């Protein structure tokens, strides 16, 4: 089966610019996650969707980050405006239930 | 906040040796999972152990869980150079998964 797809793979922007990431989960997976992974650290959950509803966004910096999952399939994560400390790899994962998560390759964001 | 904490932060061994990594967590869990991440790539699920299980095997992997101590260990037997990666434990805290900072394993050929 096809895995979790993410795009772009790499993005370089200047601070205060906006950026958007896209994720297409594995077909049939109701749960979708966005993680931020700063170099040398473990993934930090930003937001979790169940179908098109938000289950948990307690760690999402809502003043600059937003995410949506229209139609309960693919999802976009946006940062507006970006800060230097947003430089990280943004990982998308999906799962059928609440157990095993399948991760995409990630988008490496560099904010200059 | 991160739920699991892996120990050690880094581990370097020779090919053929066994590698043991530990994970401690803070709150009650339903299950604990171990993931592997090769440099610059996404995470790959290795094994899941439920709170009512004490030990689980998958190929060269052995995972133990001690809920009384809130800890888990991952043992990789007969390590290979291809096992070089970062290993993370993840626990479910109510509804979502929390990852630790990981153990960086280097297996020298």
């Amino acid at each position: 089966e096809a895995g979790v797809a993410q795009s772009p793979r790499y993005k370089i922007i200047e601070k205060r610019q906006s950026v958007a990431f896209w994720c297409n989960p594995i077909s049939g997976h109701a749960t979708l996650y966005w993680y931020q992974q700063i170099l040398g650290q473990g993934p930090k959950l930003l937001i979790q969707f169940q179908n098109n509803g938000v289950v948990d966004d307690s760690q999402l910096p809502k003043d600059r980050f937003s995410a949506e999952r229209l139609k309960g399939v693919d999802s976009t994560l946006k940062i507006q405006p970006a800060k230097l400390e947003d430089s990280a790899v943004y990982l998308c994962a999906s799962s059928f239930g609440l157990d095993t998560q399948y991760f995409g390759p990630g988008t490496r964001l560099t904010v200059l | 906040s991160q739920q699991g904490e892996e120990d050690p932060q880094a581990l370097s061994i020779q090919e053929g040796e066994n590698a043991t990594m530990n994970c401690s967590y803070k709150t009650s869990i339903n299950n604990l999972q171990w993931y592997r991440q090769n440099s610059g790539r996404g995470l790959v699920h290795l094994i899941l152990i439920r709170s009512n299980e004490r030990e689980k095997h998958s190929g060269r992997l052995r995972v133990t869980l001690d809920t009384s101590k809130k800890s888990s260990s991952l043992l990789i037997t007969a390590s290979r150079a291809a096992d070089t990666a970062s290993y993370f434990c993840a626990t479910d805290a109510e509804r979502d998964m929390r990852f630790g900072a990981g153990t960086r394993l280097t297996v020298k050929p």
Side-chain angles (χ1 to χ4, degrees), chain A residues 43-60:
Chain A
K44 170 188 164 184
L45 180 69
L46 293 177
I47 189 166
Q48 177 182 341
F49 292 95
Q50 184 78 13
N51 295 310
N52 61 349
V54 176
V55 173
D56 185 356
D57 63 357
S58 58
Q59 298 190 100
L60 185 73

Side-chain angles (χ1 to χ4, degrees), chain B residues 9-83:
Chain B
Q9 289 185 332
L11 181 61
S12 181
I13 58 174
Q14 293 293 135
E15 204 166 29
E17 294 181 338
N18 296 340
T20 300
M21 290 160 269
N22 303 297
C23 169
S24 59
Y25 56 93
K26 298 174 183 175
T27 63
S28 296
I29 60 171
N30 295 312
N31 65 64
L32 184 145
Q33 302 181 44
W34 284 92
Y35 287 81
R36 183 186 73 227
Q37 184 177 37
N38 292 89
S39 181
R41 305 176 79 167
L43 281 76
V44 174
H45 180 260
L46 295 176
I47 197 165
L48 179 152
I49 186 166
R50 302 196 184 280
S51 59
N52 61 353
E53 297 175 308
R54 292 297 169 257
E55 187 171 313
K56 205 162 184 180
H57 297 255
S58 177
R60 294 184 295 112
L61 306 180
R62 172 177 169 257
V63 169
T64 62
L65 179 65
D66 187 335
T67 53
S68 66
K69 295 181 180 179
K70 292 186 169 57
S71 68
S72 172
S73 67
L74 170 67
L75 168 68
I76 303 174
T77 60
S79 63
R80 304 167 183 170
D83 295 328

Side-chain angles (χ1 to χ4, degrees), chain A residues 48-100:
Chain A
Q48 177 182 341
F49 292 95
Q50 184 78 13
N51 295 310
N52 61 349
V54 176
V55 173
D56 185 356
D57 63 357
S58 58
Q59 298 190 100
L60 185 73
K62 299 181 185 61
D63 58 332
R64 298 184 300 106
F65 286 64
S66 64
E68 60 183 11
R69 192 185 183 196
L70 300 176
K71 302 179 182 178
V73 182
D74 55 353
S75 175
T76 56
L77 175 69
K78 297 179 182 178
I79 307 175
Q80 181 180 8
K83 294 185 176 181
L84 295 176
E85 58 261 35
D86 297 332
S87 293
V89 175
Y90 290 84
L91 296 164
C92 178
S94 70
S95 63
F96 181 73
L98 296 176
D99 290 345
T100 301

Side-chain angles (χ1 to χ4, degrees), chain A residues 21-35:
Chain A
F21 312 125
W22 173 82
C23 172
N24 190 15
I26 292 174
S27 178
H29 281 191
T31 311
L32 185 148
Y33 313 77
W34 282 103
Y35 290 90

